[in-house]
Amino acid sequence: MHPVVESFLHAPSSTWTHLVIDSATQTAALVDPVLDFDYPSGATATDSAADVIARIRALALKLEWILETHAHADHLSSAPHIHDALGGRIAIGEGIRRVQAHFSAALNFEPGFRSDGSQFDHLFEDGERFRIGGMDARVMATPGHTRDSVSYLIGDALFVGDTIFMPDGGTARCDFPGGDAGLLYDSIHKLYELPEDMRLYVCHDYAPGGRAHRCLSSIGEQRRGNIHVRDGINRGQFIAMRSARDRTLGMPALLYPSIQVNVRGGESPPAENNGLAYLKVPLQDLARKPV
């Protein structure tokens, strides 16, 4: 199977959304859709999602699935908006329940919040198979960046979320709650067992060196050239490198707003008694320093 893949770049967050098409049945899945969000004003918009919706309608496709690779910490999901416009089941890996439990406690979510994944239409188990039109698809649990990370294997195309970046970008950080550099190494090597010509689509590309943004490589290209986890780099070396690198990184700018929306399946927190919804930023316990 060779699905047609069209990819859309959300430049403000360097995020790729992938439209996966079964041409024989005119059906499709959408991977990691993005909601426009201006943090200083709190304003959201659906301009980027509108471009994707327009393309799906222009091709007269039936959207069957809206697939999240994990609860992203760098952009907000537009899955509910896409669903309202086109239908499609919103799905994520079953590990989302552990992410929900952590952040609902850490951010003191409303008492009625459920950490059972019920905000999504479907929770995938590792190894679960599903269909997109006439195409067979399989879920691969790929934790390490986060506990809930999954990759979707659809024909000869693999959608890895943040499990790995383009070869010159390396790998994603592992210092989020539930992240683990050893698990990420194991997950990537599980992917490396796939055929070398397998198409590999990433969720983020930060265009190192100022090159053009890219989203497509192959298993073989990653094994030969990934700067963090190519052939010849062992598990201990990767853990040491990834852990040291993570200690130098600041917190993602959209971590708190993204998580509060994405663990709810892309919905905002419930409105408060004035009719407005709010996103929380926990204040750290900073010791007062003498003047």
Side-chain angles (χ1 to χ4, degrees):
M1 294 181 297
H2 186 79
V4 174
V5 179
E6 296 190 11
S7 301
F8 303 79
L9 176 64
H10 183 256
S13 63
S14 298
T15 304
W16 289 97
T17 296
H18 305 291
L19 176 62
V20 189
I21 304 168
D22 176 24
S23 300
T25 62
Q26 288 295 98
T27 54
L30 194 63
V31 184
D32 293 332
V34 183
L35 183 71
D36 301 309
F37 177 64
D38 180 66
Y39 200 178
S41 68
T44 61
T46 56
D47 296 347
S48 298
D51 291 339
V52 179
I53 291 169
R55 182 58 175 163
I56 293 171
R57 286 176 171 162
L59 295 174
L61 301 174
K62 177 185 177 184
L63 185 65
E64 292 191 333
W65 291 96
I66 303 168
L67 305 172
E68 300 284 5
T69 55
H70 62 295
H72 309 271
D74 37 32
H75 69 267
L76 281 63
S77 172
S78 63
H81 177 73
I82 301 284
H83 169 81
D84 290 346
L86 299 172
R89 301 177 71 189
I90 302 172
I92 199 168
E94 59 84 21
I96 187 63
R97 293 177 292 206
R98 292 185 286 278
V99 178
Q100 289 175 324
H102 174 86
F103 282 103
S104 64
L107 296 176
N108 196 30
F109 284 1
E110 69 278 5
F113 180 81
R114 300 187 303 277
S115 298
D116 59 2
S118 58
Q119 299 83 355
F120 298 83
D121 296 317
H122 187 77
L123 301 183
F124 284 117
E125 301 283 345
D126 183 25
E128 184 173 345
R129 294 184 178 273
F130 63 105
R131 304 285 290 180
I132 303 168
M135 298 188 301
D136 182 56
R138 178 162 61 95
V139 179
M140 301 177 69
T142 47
H145 171 58
T146 63
R147 287 293 300 274
D148 63 326
S149 293
V150 297
S151 297
Y152 297 104
L153 180 59
I154 306 170
D156 68 347
L158 178 67
F159 302 88
V160 299
D162 291 356
T163 300
I164 198 167
F165 293 151
M166 295 298 293
D168 60 349
T171 55
R173 64 196 299 164
C174 298
D175 58 344
F176 293 147
D180 184 288
L183 282 179
L184 183 61
Y185 182 89
D186 297 340
S187 293
I188 291 171
H189 276 264
K190 182 165 66 172
L191 300 180
Y192 281 0
E193 295 174 2
L194 296 169
E196 286 204 353
D197 61 352
M198 178 75 64
R199 291 180 288 164
L200 186 152
Y201 291 89
V202 302
C203 180
H204 289 284
D205 180 52
Y206 299 102
R211 62 159 171 75
H213 285 86
R214 298 168 54 203
C215 64
L216 173 61
S217 65
S218 70
I219 293 293
E221 289 169 346
Q222 295 284 359
R223 289 186 59 176
R224 290 187 295 271
N226 188 283
I227 60 172
H228 292 169
V229 66
R230 62 188 175 273
D231 287 351
I233 295 177
N234 66 38
R235 195 174 191 270
Q237 290 171 322
F238 175 77
I239 292 172
M241 178 282 302
R242 186 68 263 174
S243 300
R245 183 175 175 82
D246 287 349
R247 287 193 290 271
T248 72
L249 301 177
M251 183 176 291
L254 295 183
L255 170 65
Y256 288 123
S258 296
I259 284 293
Q260 290 172 77
V261 168
N262 294 341
V263 299
R264 303 171 192 272
E267 299 286 357
S268 299
E272 300 192 8
N273 58 12
N274 62 353
L276 298 176
Y278 292 86
L279 296 170
K280 295 181 177 181
V281 177
L283 295 179
Q284 305 302 315
D285 184 18
L286 300 178
R288 183 184 297 273
K289 296 181 179 179
V291 177

